[in-house]
Amino acid sequence: MDSQRFLEAHQHAQSYIPRITLRAVLPNKHAGAIIGMKGCRVQSMESTYAVKVQMTPVLGRLVMISGSAKNVAKAWKVALMYLADKFPECYEQNPGISFLISKDLVALLKNSLDINLNFEYMARSTHTQLRVKEGTVPRSSERIVHVSIRNMDQLNAFENLVYLLADVTRIYTHLSMSPETTYFIPTGIEDDVYIQNMKDEAIFM
């Protein structure tokens, strides 16, 4: 019996897939496109991709998607599709999403000598664009990393880049989920305006 329990525990450990969370901040009122009528789109994403979608109920909506790196990337791809469908004028050219990444992880990915673990490699290998915004967002130690594609025909490229970002978040949890990280919580329209006006510090493509 003991050996059987050990084997079951080992098989469970082997099949365990770590869950990560990728957070993003959307322009004012855009999150409604992801929520859908009575939350139908969120429910669909959660059931289809085995993820958890959460949002803060304030202007300048913060959206969090948790799950395996692979499924989180798929869910964010669908989220971008919903956004582009609802707000075509905002996502017709260079559609993208602004993700929140801890400043320590951003520092690593900007300067890492490991070719598989830096922003430049991620952008070039997926034919996407990464824009690292200057400084941190208000009242936090998180930074904006805006991921974009040329047009909506490149959705698969967007998914591939988000997967790499999610996976590196999983690998470096001591940086992405450090107890020293102060997480951004939007408080109103002022934050939305501030984030929209943040300038680029570095561009990778």
Side-chain angles (χ1 to χ4, degrees):
M1 179 64 71
D2 289 341
S3 61
Q4 179 64 28
R5 289 177 178 173
F6 175 80
L7 179 60
E8 291 174 356
H10 176 71
Q11 291 174 338
H12 176 74
Q14 290 293 96
S15 62
Y16 173 70
I17 300 176
R19 292 176 65 85
I20 61 93
T21 299
L22 271 189
R23 306 164 72 244
V25 62
L26 302 181
N28 183 24
K29 299 182 180 180
H30 282 210
I34 298 176
I35 297 172
M37 185 68 69
K38 296 183 179 180
C40 64
R41 287 181 167 179
V42 166
Q43 294 170 11
S44 176
M45 290 168 63
E46 290 183 333
S47 61
T48 302
Y49 300 112
V51 297
K52 181 66 176 177
V53 182
Q54 297 174 290
M55 302 184 188
T56 56
V58 297
L59 298 173
R61 188 83 68 138
L62 176 67
V63 181
M64 298 160 279
I65 300 182
S66 304
S68 69
K70 180 179 180 180
N71 287 350
V72 165
K74 289 181 179 295
W76 272 116
K77 170 185 173 181
V78 172
L80 182 57
M81 291 172 60
Y82 289 153
L83 290 165
D85 181 62
K86 179 69 173 180
F87 303 99
E89 69 282 0
C90 298
Y91 295 88
E92 184 176 3
Q93 295 184 345
N94 301 314
I97 289 177
S98 294
F99 291 99
L100 291 163
I101 308 293
S102 73
K103 65 178 183 180
D104 292 333
L105 184 55
V106 169
L108 173 70
L109 297 178
K110 280 180 59 183
N111 304 309
S112 176
L113 297 178
D114 187 333
I115 191 170
N116 292 316
L117 294 175
N118 61 58
F119 285 140
E120 183 175 5
Y121 172 80
M122 290 181 183
R124 287 186 178 181
S125 65
T126 58
H127 305 289
T128 57
Q129 185 179 85
L130 283 166
R131 291 177 176 266
V132 179
K133 299 297 182 176
E134 288 184 345
T136 56
V137 291
R139 304 173 303 281
S140 82
S141 58
E142 293 186 293
R143 300 188 63 179
I144 294 287
V145 176
H146 187 78
V147 177
S148 63
I149 48 182
R150 291 189 183 89
N151 53 60
M152 293 301 291
D153 291 334
Q154 292 187 307
L155 277 171
N156 288 338
F158 176 83
E159 178 186 341
N160 291 339
L161 187 285
V162 176
Y163 169 74
L164 291 178
L165 195 59
D167 199 41
V168 80
T169 297
R170 174 190 63 82
I171 294 170
Y172 290 100
T173 53
H174 66 289
L175 298 178
S176 61
M177 300 181 64
S178 168
E180 297 180 0
T181 299
T182 303
Y183 296 100
F184 171 64
I185 300 176
T187 58
I189 192 66
E190 301 85 4
D191 291 336
D192 186 53
V193 173
Y194 181 90
I195 290 172
Q196 292 298 316
N197 290 328
M198 292 179 76
K199 297 180 180 180
D200 296 327
E201 178 183 280
I203 302 175
F204 303 91
M205 54 194 305

